[in-house]
Amino acid sequence: MTLDISEPFHGAKLILFIGDRLLVLERDHTPGISWPGHLDLPGGGREGTEGPLDCALRETREEVGLDVGHDQICWNRRRVSPTGTSWFFAAHLDAQAEHRIKFGGEGAGWSLMAPDEFLARHDAIPHFQGLLADYLAGVPSTLSMV
């Protein structure tokens, strides 16, 4: 999948299912970090001129050691906020991918949980909960997945 995106963006995240569970990261408590201690999704800030999907996949590889291919992406969403534009993607890996996770040390840890649990948690980043809810409800991608 190729996304032709010329608009500037600051980062990208991946809604990543391992079997029927969602991969989540726990943010650390570093001074100045946004949403300290909250449940997060793999992903992060843009480096150089990389595109949104490459950003999300690189960050996922760095944070949890999983290689997700462009062809495994099944959904995307552009989000504009007061801090700028960011991108969200979704992918599904089989349950065996859990055994390939190698935590990269960014944040306090990782876990797998039912998507409904993430949606109900008070310590999940609220706008990430909304994006997951959109994906689960079948809200269409921002860009065509051709």
Side-chain angles (χ1 to χ4, degrees):
M1 177 184 74
T2 302
L3 293 177
D4 181 20
I5 300 169
S6 57
E7 175 188 38
F9 72 99
H10 62 57
K13 296 281 187 175
L14 182 61
I15 298 168
L16 183 57
F17 288 87
I18 307 296
D20 60 355
R21 297 179 295 165
L22 182 68
L23 177 63
V24 297
L25 303 174
E26 182 183 343
R27 293 181 67 77
D28 58 32
H29 292 273
T30 302
I33 193 172
S34 60
W35 301 102
H38 279 71
L39 299 180
D40 195 358
L41 301 169
R46 181 183 197 183
E47 289 187 0
T49 60
E50 70 187 346
L53 181 54
D54 289 333
C55 174
L57 299 181
R58 174 189 50 77
E59 286 282 347
T60 298
R61 190 171 43 258
E62 291 173 1
E63 293 173 351
V64 294
L66 293 175
D67 284 310
V68 179
H70 286 218
D71 61 335
Q72 294 173 294
I73 301 300
C74 58
W75 184 82
N76 65 72
R77 173 56 55 92
R78 174 181 169 263
R79 180 176 184 274
V80 178
S81 73
T83 61
T85 298
S86 54
W87 281 89
F88 293 80
F89 300 92
H92 293 257
L93 300 179
D94 62 48
Q96 294 305 311
E98 177 179 359
H99 304 293
R100 297 191 306 271
I101 294 172
K102 291 183 178 63
F103 184 58
E106 189 172 321
W110 67 273
S111 63
L112 297 174
M113 67 178 56
D116 288 345
E117 180 182 351
F118 183 83
L119 292 174
R121 295 281 295 256
H122 71 281
D123 59 346
I125 297 175
H127 51 283
F128 294 176
Q129 289 172 307
L131 288 155
L132 174 62
D134 284 352
Y135 172 68
L136 295 172
V139 173
S141 290
T142 298
L143 295 176
S144 172
M145 300 296 293
V146 177

